[in-house]
């Protein structure tokens, strides 16, 4: 573990001094002192009671938001992950330092901030995985466009041999069961790389059968039916659904790549020539019991029987994670700081969740580990997940909305959460209308609000889009360009956030102006719900129905 630079306390102390929230001199500052754009200064704002949107929103200032963003980027830079790149991923030093930074900032603002610890399965690459064909055609397969690595470890250079059960040409509907039984590896020569077609059983079952037959590596290619031709990215689980990490390297490819290797093998067998040879190398570190953290801070005042959770996820997925989701974390942090003197009617609980990118781990752990009584006290959730997208849209969370990526409704939420969820939703819409911004409604699927909605708690929030693809309707509503929301704009290369091995979700992947107006819209939701008496204090308010378990491991389909 010496490669991890465990410098939490030193870095956090330096950042708190450099980005200090309130200095002794500022404590007596005049709230009317001009700040950026003629607005009140941050010192003045921090020392008045910002208990209305008229007071609070002007105090959400670009300089303050951006100062926190730079601090989180500095944390990522000072704490590289196992691959040597700046990182704030869960289970790594950069995430712990981020949690400590937020907690210290909240303590400096007068909150009692605590870190809630939980454990999870951690996997991280220590080097860029490689996959190449040595012969008969020498070529490198491009990571994330020609192939995806499965969560596995090991390296091999060996001849390819197909498993039995491959169906070529593919049938109109899935029919292959290649690699699903030990019999599919009868005659397999130990040490070779197994070539397996998708279909019939989980990817992990195929890999376990190949490993038992002596395979030194596995290449799984998409089946080739309509909708099953493109590059696949699969998770590895056994027949019981348990995660496995094979000790032989696993590659996922598109149908054309796999069928091309199969053609080469068949030609070699027919002609009595050498079989195709590939090299596959995946190096990673695995910790089945890694620590992760939620940062939790309650307002001093407010009815403890009526709690509004205000949250963002603090973790990244591939590197610094500055858009997803340092931006949302900073939105919540700045609002909390500017409301430090407010005595809300409803208690505000500011939470920064870990593990969101790995399947909503932090929010699921939080919800599932509350007693029924404590869970019943939570009346609302507000979630900020990506708030500074350069080629943005203005998304407002609505349980009946479409998913951001599929633009279809994939989940039906408990009926009792819908109508109350529209209260904060409409508050956000009112603000965005007032500044001349259109909006779109999106489902909480993929955000931490999902955990609360599925527990019967109404929720809303904001998002501004990520990855690809911004469509024509989005462009008509918000301007900008088709394709990526962020990263290389305009482009259709997929963006920075959810694409591994690009390491480009850095500070420059955010727009300060978007961060500011979205944060102000979210601030209106927070201050309005802090004093709400229509939802949280209404007679006969339905209570939570059930806790929401953690979602399946990130990584795509299992079959």
């Amino acid at each position: 573990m010496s490669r991890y630079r465990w410098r939490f306390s030193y870095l956090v102390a330096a950042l708190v001094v450099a980005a200090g929230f309130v200095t002794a001199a500022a404590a007596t500052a005049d709230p009317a002192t001009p700040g950026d754009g003629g607005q009140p200064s941050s010192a003045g704002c921090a020392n008045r009671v910002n208990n209305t949107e008229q007071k609070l929103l002007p105090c959400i200032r670009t300089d303050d938001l951006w100062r926190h963003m730079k601090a989180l980027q500095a944390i990522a830079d000072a704490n590289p992950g196992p691959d040597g790149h700046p990182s704030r991923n869960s289970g790594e030093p950069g995430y712990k330092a981020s949690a400590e930074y937020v907690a210290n900032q909240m303590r400096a603002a007068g909150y009692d901030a605590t870190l809630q610890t939980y454990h999870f399965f951690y996997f991280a690459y220590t080097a860029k995985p490689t996959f190449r064909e040595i012969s008969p055609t020498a070529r490198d397969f491009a990571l994330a466009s020609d192939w995806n690595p499965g969560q596995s470890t090991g390296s091999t250079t060996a001849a390819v041999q197909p498993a039995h059960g491959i169906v070529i040409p593919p049938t109109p509907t899935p029919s292959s069961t290649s690699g699903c039984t030990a019999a599919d590896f009868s005659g397999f020569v130990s040490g070779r790389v197994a070539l397996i077609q998708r279909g019939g059983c989980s990817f992990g079952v195929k890999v376990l059968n190949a490993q038992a037959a002596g395979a030194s590596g596995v290449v799984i290619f998409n089946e080739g039916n309509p909708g099953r031709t493109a590059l696949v990215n699969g998770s590895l689980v056994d027949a019981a659904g348990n995660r496995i990490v094979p000790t032989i390297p696993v590659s996922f490819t598109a149908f054309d790549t796999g069928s091309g290797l199969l053609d080469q093998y068949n030609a070699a067998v027919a002609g009595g020539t050498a079989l195709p040879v590939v090299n596959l190398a995946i190096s990673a570190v695995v910790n089945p019991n890694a620590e992760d953290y939620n940062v939790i801070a309650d307002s001093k005042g407010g009815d403890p029987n009526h709690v509004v959770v205000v949250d963002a996820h603090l973790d990244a997925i591939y590197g610094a994670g500055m858009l997803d989701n340092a931006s949302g974390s900073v939105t919540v942090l700045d609002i909390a700081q500017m409301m430090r003197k407010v005595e809300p009617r409803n208690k505000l609980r500011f939470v920064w969740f870990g593990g969101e990118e790995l399947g909503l781990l932090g929010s699921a752990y939080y919800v599932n580990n509350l007693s029924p009584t404590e869970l019943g006290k939570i009346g609302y959730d507000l979630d900020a997940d990506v708030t500074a997208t350069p080629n943005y849209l203005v998304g407002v969370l609505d349980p009946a909305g479409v998913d951001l990526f599929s633009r279809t409704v994939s989940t039906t939420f408990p009926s009792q959460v819908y109508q109350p969820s529209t209260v904060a939703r409409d508050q956000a819409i009112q603000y965005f209308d007032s500044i001349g911004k259109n909006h779109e409604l999106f489902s909480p699927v993929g955000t931490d609000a999902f955990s609360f909605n599925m527990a019967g708690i109404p929720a809303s929030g904001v998002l501004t889009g990520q990855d690809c693809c911004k469509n024509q309707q989005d462009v008509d509503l918000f301007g900008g360009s088709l394709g990526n929301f962020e990263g290389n704009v305009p482009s259709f290369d997929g963006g920075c956030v959810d694409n591994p091995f690009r390491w480009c979700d850095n500070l420059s992947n955010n727009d300060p102006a978007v961060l500011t107006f979205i944060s102000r819209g979210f601030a209106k939701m927070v201050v309005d719900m802090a004093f709400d008496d229509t939802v949280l204090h209404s007679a006969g308010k339905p209570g939570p129905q059930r806790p929401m378990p953690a979602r399946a491991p990130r990584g795509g389909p299992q079959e």
Side-chain angles (χ1 to χ4, degrees), residues 147-445:
W147 78 291
N148 285 316
Q151 287 198 352
S152 55
T153 63
S155 64
T156 184
T157 299
V160 171
Q161 180 176 345
H164 300 307
I166 292 175
V167 179
I168 297 290
T171 54
T173 58
S175 61
S176 172
T177 58
S178 173
C180 288
T181 67
D184 287 333
F185 295 90
S186 62
F188 188 86
V189 177
S190 180
R192 290 181 176 175
V193 173
L195 180 65
I196 306 173
Q197 188 177 27
R198 179 186 184 182
C201 61
S202 73
F203 296 128
V205 168
K206 296 172 184 283
V207 173
L208 289 173
N209 287 332
Q211 191 165 6
S216 63
V218 173
V219 176
I220 301 175
F221 65 100
N222 213 346
E223 189 170 0
N225 325 98
R228 287 191 167 204
T229 60
L231 174 62
V232 66
N233 183 24
S235 56
L236 297 175
V237 298
D238 63 18
N242 300 310
R243 182 201 300 264
I244 62 168
V245 180
T247 54
I248 59 173
V250 177
S251 166
F252 292 97
T253 77
F255 172 75
D256 286 345
T257 301
S259 61
L261 288 172
L262 180 64
D263 289 343
Q264 289 180 338
Y265 175 87
N266 289 334
V269 170
T273 58
L275 300 178
V277 175
V278 299
N279 171 267
L280 182 57
I282 300 175
S283 177
V285 58
V286 179
N287 183 353
N289 196 40
E291 282 192 345
D292 206 21
Y293 310 93
N294 296 326
V295 183
I296 304 172
D298 280 5
S299 60
K300 295 290 186 182
D303 186 345
N305 293 311
H306 296 89
V307 177
V308 178
V309 172
V310 183
D311 75 76
H313 76 86
L314 186 57
D315 63 310
I317 179 59
Y318 297 121
M322 293 306 298
L323 178 62
D324 188 12
N325 185 38
S327 63
S329 295
V330 161
T331 293
V332 173
L333 177 57
D334 189 54
I335 291 169
Q337 290 177 323
M338 292 303 149
M339 293 185 71
R340 73 189 191 100
K341 289 184 174 292
V342 172
E343 289 285 340
R345 178 171 187 184
N346 307 308
K347 182 169 286 294
L348 296 176
R349 179 164 299 151
F350 298 99
V351 186
W352 291 262
F353 289 117
E356 189 266 4
E357 299 289 5
L358 303 173
L360 311 183
L361 300 185
S363 57
Y365 180 87
Y366 173 76
V367 169
N368 291 350
N369 284 275
L370 291 170
S371 68
T373 298
E374 290 302 311
L375 186 63
K377 294 177 181 179
I378 299 177
Y380 221 90
D381 174 66
L382 298 172
D383 180 85
D385 194 347
V386 181
T387 57
T389 306
N391 189 26
Y392 71 93
L393 54 74
V394 178
V396 181
L397 298 187
D398 182 324
V402 297
D403 296 2
L404 172 64
F405 297 112
S406 70
R407 303 302 173 103
T408 60
V409 176
S410 66
T411 304
T412 300
F413 293 93
S415 58
Q416 73 271 17
V417 309
Y418 176 72
Q419 195 59 42
S421 294
T422 65
V423 173
R425 179 203 71 181
D426 291 346
Q427 292 163 357
I429 292 171
Q430 181 185 47
Y431 173 74
F432 293 128
D433 285 347
S434 75
I435 61 170
K437 298 290 185 183
N438 293 314
H439 69 275
E440 291 184 273
L441 300 180
F442 291 103
S443 168
V445 168

Side-chain angles (χ1 to χ4, degrees), residues 8-58:
F8 303 142
S9 58
Y10 300 103
L11 176 63
V12 171
L15 288 171
V16 170
V17 170
F21 177 58
V22 181
T23 65
T28 57
D30 179 359
T33 301
D36 62 345
Q39 300 297 331
S41 69
S42 57
C45 283
N47 287 282
R48 72 181 186 187
V49 180
N50 297 305
N51 57 358
T52 66
E53 62 181 271
Q54 291 76 19
K55 293 179 181 178
L56 177 61
L57 270 58

Side-chain angles (χ1 to χ4, degrees), residues 60-202:
I60 306 303
R61 305 169 65 253
T62 304
D63 288 351
D64 299 327
L65 293 162
W66 206 245
R67 185 176 68 248
H68 291 311
M69 290 288 284
K70 289 191 290 185
L72 291 176
Q73 178 70 62
I75 286 173
D77 293 341
N79 291 277
D83 58 9
H85 291 272
S87 178
R88 295 190 316 99
N89 296 342
S90 283
E92 296 178 7
Y95 180 75
K96 178 67 181 297
S98 299
E100 294 283 7
Y101 174 78
V102 169
N104 285 343
Q105 289 285 310
M106 291 296 284
R107 290 166 188 148
Y111 293 90
D112 292 326
T114 60
L115 268 62
Q116 181 185 45
T117 303
Y118 64 95
H119 295 83
F120 75 106
F121 190 101
Y122 171 82
F123 177 98
Y125 298 104
T126 56
K128 188 175 181 179
T130 58
F131 180 34
R132 57 177 58 95
E133 183 177 1
I134 306 300
S135 63
T137 303
R139 54 174 170 164
D140 289 332
F141 295 105
L143 195 60
S145 57
D146 292 332
W147 78 291
N148 285 316
Q151 287 198 352
S152 55
T153 63
S155 64
T156 184
T157 299
V160 171
Q161 180 176 345
H164 300 307
I166 292 175
V167 179
I168 297 290
T171 54
T173 58
S175 61
S176 172
T177 58
S178 173
C180 288
T181 67
D184 287 333
F185 295 90
S186 62
F188 188 86
V189 177
S190 180
R192 290 181 176 175
V193 173
L195 180 65
I196 306 173
Q197 188 177 27
R198 179 186 184 182
C201 61
S202 73

Side-chain angles (χ1 to χ4, degrees), residues 66 323 387-392 507-516:
W66 206 245
L323 178 62
T387 57
T389 306
N391 189 26
Y392 71 93
L507 195 63
S508 60
N509 200 39
N510 295 262
D511 187 321
V514 176
L515 177 62
T516 303

